[in-house]
Amino acid sequence: MWNYQIEENILYEDKEILVCRKTAGMPVQAAKIGTMDMESALKNYLAQKTPGKIPYLGVVHRLDQPVEGILVFAKTSEAAGNLSKQMMAGGAGKYYLAVTEGKAKSSEGILTDYLKKNGKANMSQVVSANTPGAKKAILHYKVLDQQEINGKSRTLLKIRLETGRHHQIRVQLSHEGLPLLGDRKYNPEDSSGLPLGLCSCHLVFRHPVTGKKLEFQVTPKGECFAGFPNI
């Protein structure tokens, strides 16, 4: 079952890389034994293609479990090293679509904050720049649409990440007064009952061997996006 689903979600594959779409709710790597995750499902898929050989699969970036969207995995250690550098150094373009509660103060902007991760609570928070362990987080946003849905204002944003911090989009938007729809972790007052309104919709990077620019895009499937027909 999992192999069929994973195969249906593969967007591109060659000898060095594998690009696929992660469904919302599926972890990239298992948090506990017995939980199916992207890494295991893809390894099973690759193992069936080369019986008797243990496949290599490098995780070079992640999406939170409730987030849907595009991920690239490495099929060689050399590709993993190259892609990891691109992700860390900002060489890759990571774009998201997000549905938030409320209205944005301006049609576009840049959010710059310092975030500190609390590993025990699996959360991050905005702190002052001189806080020990704080990391700078930069996010660019543009308003694509605003709607009144069930009597409440909701905003569709296109986001580009300049940094890749833990829960960055969720924390920064919540701090800005634009919590993600369905994000009960950073907005406990959310009563929508909807899954998280966040999708990694567009990924741009250089092929780790050829250097060719590769670009992939998907349309969100989550319920939060249903109120915005022009995505």
Side-chain angles (χ1 to χ4, degrees):
M1 179 180 72
W2 283 109
N3 285 340
Y4 171 76
Q5 290 182 342
I6 282 296
E7 202 161 354
E8 288 291 304
N9 284 295
I10 292 174
L11 305 175
Y12 175 83
E13 182 182 4
D14 62 23
K15 292 180 180 180
E16 286 81 28
I17 65 172
L18 192 155
V19 181
C20 65
R21 177 179 190 142
K22 184 182 93 65
T23 56
M26 193 174 189
V28 174
Q29 293 176 304
K32 55 185 178 181
I33 296 174
T35 302
M36 181 51 72
D37 58 277
M38 293 293 295
E39 183 183 29
S40 299
L42 287 170
K43 280 186 175 179
N44 290 343
Y45 158 76
L46 293 173
Q48 288 194 359
K49 292 176 66 176
T50 55
K53 182 181 178 182
I54 299 176
Y56 177 92
L57 188 75
V59 178
V60 296
H61 66 137
R62 294 168 175 78
L63 294 175
D64 295 341
Q65 186 167 336
V67 181
E68 61 174 308
I70 308 167
L71 285 167
V72 57
F73 293 83
K75 292 173 67 176
T76 68
S77 58
E78 292 80 7
N82 180 286
L83 290 170
S84 293
K85 287 179 181 178
Q86 290 189 57
M87 298 295 168
M88 293 291 289
K94 294 180 282 187
Y95 302 85
Y96 294 75
L97 285 172
V99 178
T100 73
E101 293 187 356
K103 294 182 178 180
K105 297 172 184 175
S106 56
S107 60
E108 58 184 288
I110 302 173
L111 302 182
T112 302
D113 298 294
Y114 286 83
L115 308 184
K116 184 173 182 179
K117 181 180 178 181
N118 180 336
K120 289 184 179 180
N122 189 30
M123 294 182 72
S124 289
Q125 65 182 105
V126 175
V127 296
S128 60
N130 58 359
T131 301
K135 294 183 178 180
K136 193 174 186 179
I138 303 174
L139 172 159
H140 301 250
Y141 73 87
K142 182 177 182 179
V143 175
L144 299 183
D145 196 2
Q146 289 187 332
Q147 300 278 351
E148 289 289 327
I149 301 174
N150 298 326
K152 295 183 178 180
S153 296
R154 293 180 181 173
T155 302
L156 176 67
L157 298 176
K158 180 74 175 283
I159 292 168
R160 178 174 69 85
L161 286 183
E162 197 169 313
T163 54
R165 307 305 182 199
H166 177 255
H167 290 176
Q168 180 178 338
I169 295 174
R170 301 166 69 178
V171 179
Q172 288 194 276
L173 288 181
S174 178
H175 184 70
E176 183 67 10
L178 289 169
L180 289 181
L181 190 62
D183 192 356
R184 285 165 285 281
K185 181 181 283 284
Y186 292 99
N187 183 28
E189 296 178 0
D190 181 284
S191 58
S192 67
L194 293 170
L196 189 68
L198 186 60
C199 174
S200 171
C201 63
H202 186 184
L203 182 65
V204 185
F205 60 94
R206 296 280 176 183
H207 192 281
V209 174
T210 67
K212 180 183 177 182
K213 181 182 177 181
L214 298 177
E215 197 164 354
F216 300 91
Q217 296 189 63
V218 296
T219 301
K221 295 181 179 180
E223 292 177 60
C224 288
F225 297 92
F228 298 94
N230 298 320
I231 293 178

